[in-house]
Amino acid sequence: MPLPAKLLVDIHTHVYLPRYTALLRSRSSVPLIRSIVNSEGVAEDRLLILDHEPSGGRPVGPQYWDREEKLNFMDKHGIDISVVSTANPWLDFLPASQAHTLASELNNDLEEYCSTAPSVASRQIKRLYGFGLLPLVPEITTSALLDIVKQIGELPHLRGLIMGTRGIGRGLDDEALEPVWAAIEKAGLVVFLHPHYGVDGSAWGDKDNGHVLPLALGFPFETTTAATRLILSGVFDKFPSLRLLLAHSGGALPALSSRLASCIDHDPVVASRLKHDARYYLGKLYLDAVAYGPEELGFVSDVISRADKFETGSSAKAAPNRSAGSKRMLFGTDHPFFPPLSASEKWKSVTENLEAINDVQGWSEEDRSGVRGENAVALFNL
Amino acid sequence: MPLPAKLLVDIHTHVYLPRYTALLRSRSSVPLIRSIVNSEGVAEDRLLILDHEPSGGRPVGPQYWDREEKLNFMDKHGIDISVVSTANPWLDFLPASQAHTLASELNNDLEEYCSTAPSVASRQIKRLYGFGLLPLVPEITTSALLDIVKQIGELPHLRGLIMGTRGIGRGLDDEALEPVWAAIEKAGLVVFLHPHYGVDGSAWGDKDNGHVLPLALGFPFETTTAATRLILSGVFDKFPSLRLLLAHSGGALPALSSRLASCIDHDPVVASRLKHDARYYLGKLYLDAVAYGPEELGFVSDVISRADKFETGSSAKAAPNRSAGSKRMLFGTDHPFFPPLSASEKWKSVTENLEAINDVQGWSEEDRSGVRGENAVALFNL
């Protein structure tokens, strides 16, 4: 019997479940989905996620909510398994009691979405797994959050949870979240940290550049800021087994990590706060491989692999080992975002990320297949 | 006669000239320098650059204004030549007429600061060169800006100019600046693009992390945003010989450049605006080597060297050539910022950047000496 082919696993792929879409359609303030008639006279749904959305919102359709569309997209691109997450803005805009109820309902919906999906041919695994949602909103109680962590931990096809960067209103470096980190760590769930708000829009100026600046820069800046604040808060010292997966290859964090370490070393307020050099903590992270270029991916794997050198007391001096660093990197597509502007068989946003994985200098074929899928199989225990 | 040793040239090193310091001391609103009595009962000067400055402002002393201190610092670290620039906030806070007058005076002061400095032993070159200042403030006239570009071009020891990211109030993608770019390009001056404002402080949260977040993240985010807006505005298509040097190795721009290119490709507003893929323009930039780590520097040189592949019509497929990329990278210290927290012979912020240059995988000894000094000799025609 031939060995089964290596799996291609997409760990960065989003859905707006029907229950969530219905809520967005019912709303009269952002976030919402509204129907418009577009410039060609055709009815079209537009999603407005944030106030002052450029270009009148994002055209949306069944690829945002219909499971068949997700499976079709996976088939078209040779993706065996997707670990699906609700896209932003999650539950951020809801009052606490509604967020609590809806988180529970959406987690059950996502479990059903996955558990009733087809299986991978000739394997005992499903084609869909999921990241659940926590009701991370102001005034939520710790016990409500812990209830939902427990729920996610008990739903067999949910293997982690997605969260934004605001926590319960004061960011992820809020001490009030420590019991939540402890529970997530204990449950062995993967936290997928994903941006939503970007940065203050005044930085983008008054030219119309579409969504480019908030998406290309604002999103990575937000992730970078949140992860840096987590490092500075000592969360990784307190919860060393916490498994945090950063969207978009960690944004700018890998590139700014030596600058961060230097700024910490030179600032009397924080210089002696952490157990290790800031770069050590990057080796504890997981990063998706959604960076669109092989040089970017190679660099990220360097940064992960050098982390051990920065453990306090380490005498390691070796040059970075890209193979070792690749073990914490995982393929993703960001589907259904970034559709091609003109009709094409495959999505460029997907093929670019696959080509990037293929073209990284210094990765072996084993490293590449790890990033394409085997690392996800291990991380999510598929 | 032995060949002269290779030069070490610091192109990222700041000064507050005495005329500028006197202005800051005379002010009662930020930016200002004020004298306080510190917690040990000792009188101390504090510089407040921005409102809500963390930690009560930055302790400052003669290393910020005294030329002897600059030369002592250079001697201590084996730096032969410094290309000195006024540190932020430059003239941003002044009314137009005062900014115009002061720019002219400070440029003359800096010329004198350099021209009366000692020479490099046995060479016909000075140890100090400078970047001038433009009066980039709202309501300044184009002719005033062009006057000062002309002045800088005629002062023999000024080889470029430093600027922030706000232009005359609407950023660097403002069409009103096009005559200024044209004049700078024609004069062959190097523009040193340097951050000042960072990003909106609400992103940093309410924990006291000293200056770490605005410096480690806010500064690079600001530079990245400004350079991206320049790319999107088509400035590099219109002024292909403009020589732009980005502070802090371009911030996050190299790491986000493939994401930027992908976001442009997928956005109908900008997809067909530029002559080339966004990554092409990174090969037209110069970047300092102030990134504190060898993996960062190696990656930046990869990104520079791959740029040619992204020229429209290019059929180049070669893997990045780090040696080629190193030619646009230049050593810097950020002196007098980032002094060591405890007494030490050499500054860690300097030795870290020198060690990083030394440790880049794939750079030859010639590449390293280029980054340490020969690239600056060529760029600034020293």
Side-chain angles (χ1 to χ4, degrees):
Chain A
M1 203 176 95
L3 280 172
K6 302 276 191 178
L7 296 173
L8 183 61
V9 182
D10 179 1
I11 59 83
H12 188 155
T13 180
H14 299 298
V15 67
Y16 292 108
L17 291 165
R19 185 189 304 272
Y20 187 77
T21 312
L23 171 69
L24 292 178
R25 285 186 194 284
S26 74
R27 288 174 55 82
S28 56
S29 61
V30 169
L32 57 80
I33 294 174
R34 65 177 178 197
S35 294
I36 61 155
V37 176
N38 73 15
S39 55
E40 278 99 49
V42 179
E44 185 177 88
D45 284 341
R46 291 288 181 101
L47 168 66
L48 285 102
I49 298 182
L50 292 168
D51 285 324
H52 317 296
E53 191 93 14
S55 314
R58 196 186 297 273
V60 290
Q63 72 274 27
Y64 283 74
W65 44 80
D66 185 332
R67 193 178 71 181
E68 283 310 302
E69 293 278 338
K70 182 68 77 186
L71 291 164
N72 288 342
F73 168 83
M74 290 166 63
D75 289 340
K76 184 186 282 186
H77 295 92
I79 296 166
D80 298 288
I81 298 172
S82 288
V83 188
V84 175
S85 49
T86 295
N88 52 304
W90 312 295
L91 307 172
D92 287 26
F93 53 95
L94 296 173
S97 65
Q98 195 184 351
H100 187 183
T101 307
L102 195 60
S104 171
E105 291 169 346
L106 287 170
N107 289 332
N108 285 326
D109 289 354
L110 188 58
E111 172 62 25
E112 190 190 347
Y113 177 101
C114 300
S115 64
T116 59
S119 295
V120 176
S122 76
R123 298 213 189 188
Q124 295 302 314
I125 46 180
K126 289 289 177 188
R127 294 196 63 192
L128 295 170
Y129 290 85
F131 290 101
L133 271 181
L134 292 185
L136 284 163
V137 296
E139 295 175 33
I140 194 81
T141 62
T142 302
S143 72
L145 291 168
L146 297 180
D147 275 353
I148 302 292
V149 172
K150 182 162 180 285
Q151 179 205 20
I152 296 171
E154 290 171 355
L155 289 169
H157 294 83
L158 303 195
R159 301 294 166 94
L161 50 95
I162 187 165
M163 68 168 69
T165 64
R166 294 223 173 152
I168 57 172
R170 292 188 297 154
L172 300 181
D173 50 6
D174 184 350
E175 295 85 351
L177 295 176
E178 294 195 356
V180 181
W181 300 125
I184 291 170
E185 184 185 49
K186 192 169 170 206
L189 294 167
V190 176
V191 176
F192 185 18
L193 181 61
H194 193 287
H196 165 47
Y197 295 96
V199 297
D200 175 51
S202 64
W204 310 138
D206 54 16
K207 300 285 180 285
D208 184 5
N209 292 310
H211 286 83
V212 170
L213 291 165
L215 280 180
L217 307 186
F219 261 29
F221 291 175
E222 183 186 357
T223 309
T224 305
T225 303
T228 303
R229 285 172 57 181
L230 271 177
I231 291 172
L232 285 166
S233 75
V235 162
F236 297 106
D237 285 332
K238 289 182 197 128
F239 305 104
S241 302
L242 189 63
R243 298 189 298 169
L244 193 72
L245 168 66
L246 298 189
H248 313 118
S249 291
L253 183 63
L256 300 180
S257 57
S258 290
R259 179 171 175 85
L260 173 63
S262 178
C263 286
I264 290 174
D265 269 359
H266 288 86
D267 197 297
V269 175
V270 292
S272 45
R273 183 190 293 171
L274 300 176
K275 286 191 184 166
H276 307 284
D277 180 289
R279 286 165 282 196
Y280 168 77
Y281 303 101
L282 275 81
K284 304 294 140 193
L285 300 172
Y286 297 85
L287 298 104
D288 73 27
V290 183
Y292 305 93
E295 290 75 27
E296 284 81 351
L297 298 182
F299 169 65
V300 169
S301 63
D302 283 346
V303 168
I304 295 169
S305 78
R306 77 182 177 189
D308 286 345
K309 269 204 300 200
F310 295 103
E311 185 172 10
T312 294
S314 166
S315 57
K317 293 263 178 208
N321 176 332
R322 287 192 166 187
S323 286
S326 73
K327 303 301 176 222
R328 287 175 174 267
M329 300 178 67
L330 304 94
F331 170 68
T333 63
D334 224 341
H335 180 261
F337 300 101
F338 304 104
L341 289 188
S342 50
S344 68
E345 173 57 17
K346 293 196 174 183
W347 288 27
K348 187 176 177 192
S349 53
V350 178
T351 56
E352 273 185 338
N353 278 317
L354 284 171
E355 283 165 14
I357 292 168
N358 212 47
D359 291 349
V360 174
Q361 304 236 320
W363 281 3
S364 67
E365 188 44 40
E366 191 188 334
D367 300 331
R368 296 179 211 288
S369 73
V371 176
R372 284 192 287 253
E374 301 303 312
N375 298 345
V377 169
L379 179 62
F380 295 102
N381 192 26
L382 299 178
Chain B
M1 201 176 98
L3 280 172
K6 302 276 190 180
L7 295 172
L8 184 62
V9 182
D10 179 3
I11 58 82
H12 189 155
T13 177
H14 298 299
V15 66
Y16 292 109
L17 290 165
R19 186 188 304 273
Y20 188 78
T21 312
L23 172 68
L24 292 178
R25 284 186 194 285
S26 74
R27 288 174 56 83
S28 56
S29 61
V30 170
L32 58 79
I33 293 174
R34 66 176 178 197
S35 294
I36 61 153
V37 176
N38 72 14
S39 55
E40 278 99 50
V42 179
E44 187 177 86
D45 284 340
R46 290 288 181 102
L47 169 65
L48 285 103
I49 299 182
L50 292 168
D51 285 323
H52 317 295
E53 189 94 16
S55 313
R58 196 185 297 273
V60 289
Q63 71 274 28
Y64 283 74
W65 43 78
D66 184 332
R67 192 178 72 181
E68 283 310 302
E69 293 278 337
K70 182 70 77 185
L71 291 164
N72 288 343
F73 169 82
M74 292 165 63
D75 289 340
K76 183 186 283 187
H77 295 91
I79 296 166
D80 298 290
I81 298 173
S82 289
V83 188
V84 175
S85 49
T86 295
N88 52 305
W90 312 294
L91 307 171
D92 286 26
F93 53 96
L94 296 173
S97 66
Q98 194 185 351
H100 187 184
T101 308
L102 195 59
S104 172
E105 291 169 346
L106 288 171
N107 289 333
N108 285 325
D109 290 353
L110 187 59
E111 172 62 24
E112 191 190 346
Y113 176 101
C114 299
S115 65
T116 60
S119 295
V120 177
S122 77
R123 301 216 188 185
Q124 296 301 312
I125 45 179
K126 289 289 178 188
R127 295 195 64 190
L128 295 170
Y129 291 84
F131 289 101
L133 271 182
L134 291 185
L136 284 164
V137 296
E139 295 174 35
I140 195 80
T141 63
T142 302
S143 73
L145 291 168
L146 297 180
D147 276 354
I148 301 291
V149 172
K150 183 163 181 286
Q151 179 205 21
I152 295 171
E154 290 171 354
L155 290 170
H157 295 83
L158 302 195
R159 301 295 167 92
L161 50 94
I162 187 166
M163 67 168 70
T165 64
R166 293 222 173 153
I168 59 173
R170 292 187 299 154
L172 300 180
D173 51 5
D174 184 351
E175 296 85 352
L177 294 177
E178 293 195 358
V180 181
W181 300 125
I184 291 170
E185 184 185 48
K186 193 169 170 203
L189 294 167
V190 175
V191 176
F192 184 18
L193 180 61
H194 193 286
H196 165 48
Y197 296 96
V199 295
D200 175 51
S202 64
W204 309 140
D206 55 13
K207 299 283 180 289
D208 183 5
N209 292 311
H211 285 83
V212 169
L213 291 165
L215 281 179
L217 307 185
F219 262 28
F221 291 173
E222 183 186 358
T223 308
T224 304
T225 303
T228 302
R229 286 173 57 182
L230 272 175
I231 291 172
L232 286 166
S233 75
V235 161
F236 298 107
D237 286 332
K238 289 181 196 128
F239 307 102
S241 303
L242 189 63
R243 300 189 296 169
L244 193 72
L245 168 66
L246 298 189
H248 313 117
S249 291
L253 183 63
L256 299 179
S257 57
S258 291
R259 179 170 175 86
L260 173 63
S262 178
C263 286
I264 290 174
D265 269 0
H266 287 86
D267 196 298
V269 176
V270 292
S272 48
R273 183 191 293 170
L274 300 175
K275 286 190 184 167
H276 307 284
D277 181 288
R279 285 165 283 196
Y280 169 76
Y281 303 101
L282 275 80
K284 302 296 140 191
L285 300 171
Y286 297 85
L287 298 106
D288 74 25
V290 183
Y292 306 94
E295 290 76 26
E296 284 82 351
L297 298 181
F299 169 66
V300 169
S301 64
D302 282 346
V303 168
I304 296 170
S305 77
R306 77 182 178 188
D308 286 345
K309 270 203 300 199
F310 295 103
E311 184 170 13
T312 294
S314 167
S315 57
K317 293 261 178 208
N321 176 334
R322 288 193 164 185
S323 286
S326 73
K327 304 302 177 219
R328 287 175 174 267
M329 300 178 65
L330 305 94
F331 170 69
T333 63
D334 225 342
H335 180 260
F337 300 101
F338 304 105
L341 288 188
S342 51
S344 68
E345 172 60 14
K346 293 195 175 184
W347 287 26
K348 187 177 178 192
S349 54
V350 179
T351 55
E352 272 184 338
N353 278 316
L354 284 171
E355 283 165 14
I357 293 168
N358 212 46
D359 291 347
V360 175
Q361 304 236 319
W363 281 4
S364 68
E365 187 44 39
E366 190 187 333
D367 299 332
R368 297 179 210 288
S369 74
V371 177
R372 283 191 288 253
E374 301 302 312
N375 298 347
V377 169
L379 179 63
F380 296 102
N381 192 26
L382 300 178

